């Protein structure tokens, strides 16, 4: 297939496989062969490499197609694919994405709303996320920027154990913006969250085990009344 044909095929909805060629799909006269343990076997004819793969009960996998000659390795391809998928899954699981959350406040916010908003900021910082705090001014409030500045400073002090001021308050049109950064890294927060989840799961499983029932008290033997009955 030419390059032009391959491009046209892709536009028609096809796709070019990213998987390496294995066994009989390899179409070259000779290969540079690597053994199962990584040892260098050398350049051998393709037929010889396929014969060795059968002897070892393994697959011949092309690992460097652009080399001259191509490099092939003897391996269990099914096991290799499974382990590669598990590693990729674990890498995605541990991958930390920097997320910027946003919280909007008014300069004259009431105490209850402030506590609620602060609770959200605390949660975001505990998760290892940055928080963009926006103070929204309306009408005559725009002539009192010190109200927004004091509110931002108050919030930063209330959460200083969890975060720090990454970007100082600055005026942006009708708004004033400040960015808080978490003390914990995202990866640390994710690890702690997984540990807490595992602990809660173990606690639930432990609490579901019923305690053994207490043994019923033994029945008392009837009292001997022969001494009290003169006719006995």
């Amino acid at each position: 297939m030419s390059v032009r044909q391959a491009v046209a095929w892709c536009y028609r909805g096809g796709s070019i496989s990213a998987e390496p060629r294995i066994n009989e799909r390899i179409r070259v006269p000779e290969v540079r062969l690597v053994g199962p343990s990584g040892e260098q076997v050398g350049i051998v004819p393709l037929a010889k490499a396929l014969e060795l793969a059968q002897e070892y009960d393994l697959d011949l996998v092309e690992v460097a197609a652009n080399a001259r000659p191509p490099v092939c390795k003897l391996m269990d391809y099914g096991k290799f694919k499974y382990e590669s998928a598990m590693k990729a899954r674990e890498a995605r699981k541990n991958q930390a994405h920097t997320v910027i959350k946003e919280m909007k406040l008014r300069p004259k916010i009431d105490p209850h709303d402030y506590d609620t908003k602060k609770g959200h900021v605390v949660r975001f910082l505990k998760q290892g996320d940055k928080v963009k705090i926006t103070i929204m001014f309306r009408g005559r409030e725009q002539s009192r920027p010190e109200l927004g500045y004091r509110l931002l400073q108050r919030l930063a002090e209330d959460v200083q154990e969890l975060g720090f001021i990454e970007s100082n308050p600055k005026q942006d049109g009708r708004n004033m913006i400040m960015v808080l950064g978490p003390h914990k890294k995202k990866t640390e927060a994710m690890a702690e969250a997984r540990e807490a989840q595992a602990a809660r799961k173990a606690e639930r499983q432990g609490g579901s085990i019923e305690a053994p029932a207490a043994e019923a008290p033994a029945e008392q033997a009837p009292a001997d009344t022969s001494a009290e009955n003169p006719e006995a």
Side-chain angles (χ1 to χ4, degrees):
M1 179 183 295
S2 66
V3 175
R4 182 177 296 178
Q5 289 173 331
V7 172
W9 183 59
C10 289
Y11 275 109
R12 289 198 301 268
S15 61
I16 300 177
S17 175
E19 292 189 358
R21 291 182 293 186
I22 65 173
N23 300 326
E24 287 75 14
R25 290 173 54 194
I26 303 173
R27 303 290 187 181
V28 291
E30 59 184 13
V31 298
R32 185 179 297 276
L33 186 62
V34 180
S37 302
E39 68 275 14
Q40 297 291 331
V41 178
I43 298 176
V44 299
L46 177 62
K48 178 62 176 178
L50 291 171
E51 182 181 339
L52 290 174
Q54 291 181 352
E55 289 180 5
Y56 283 102
D57 194 21
L58 295 173
D59 298 301
L60 181 66
V61 182
E62 190 178 57
V63 295
N66 294 329
R68 291 293 178 267
V71 180
C72 295
K73 184 177 180 180
L74 298 174
M75 67 172 74
D76 184 337
Y77 187 60
K79 181 180 179 181
F80 171 76
K81 285 186 64 177
Y82 174 78
E83 292 177 349
S84 298
M86 290 298 100
K87 289 179 181 179
R89 180 180 178 185
E90 190 66 22
R92 288 193 300 269
K93 183 178 179 182
N94 295 327
Q95 190 174 9
H97 296 283
T98 301
V99 178
I100 299 180
K101 305 288 187 177
E102 184 172 12
M103 188 58 56
K104 297 181 179 180
L105 294 81
R106 294 292 307 281
K108 298 180 180 180
I109 188 171
D110 64 73
H112 176 74
D113 286 344
Y114 174 80
D115 290 338
T116 301
K117 301 279 188 179
K118 183 181 72 175
H120 292 314
V121 174
V122 167
R123 177 165 54 87
F124 295 148
L125 292 174
K126 284 184 176 180
Q127 293 173 352
D129 296 323
K130 297 181 181 182
V131 188
K132 176 183 175 182
I133 312 296
T134 303
I135 304 296
M136 301 180 297
F137 296 96
R138 293 181 182 176
R140 296 181 180 179
E141 293 175 347
Q142 297 181 56
S143 62
R144 302 287 305 278
E146 68 276 7
L147 295 178
Y149 182 83
R150 285 200 295 265
L151 181 59
L152 291 175
Q153 290 294 324
R154 174 190 172 188
L155 180 59
E157 292 175 1
D158 288 346
V159 299
Q160 60 183 345
E161 294 183 358
L162 299 171
F164 61 95
I165 299 178
E166 185 174 285
S167 178
N168 289 315
K170 63 180 180 181
Q171 196 77 24
D172 183 15
R174 295 184 178 182
N175 301 327
M176 183 175 288
I177 297 172
M178 177 182 72
V179 178
L180 296 175
H183 290 312
K184 290 182 181 178
K185 294 182 179 179
K186 185 70 173 179
T187 51
E188 295 176 358
M190 292 171 62
E192 290 183 2
R194 287 196 296 269
E195 291 176 1
Q197 184 179 6
R200 289 194 298 269
K201 183 177 180 180
E203 184 178 355
R204 288 196 300 268
Q205 290 177 346
S208 63
I209 301 176
E210 297 182 358
E215 295 183 358
E219 295 183 0
Q220 295 182 353
D224 186 3
T225 58
S226 58
E228 298 178 359
N229 188 356
E231 294 181 358

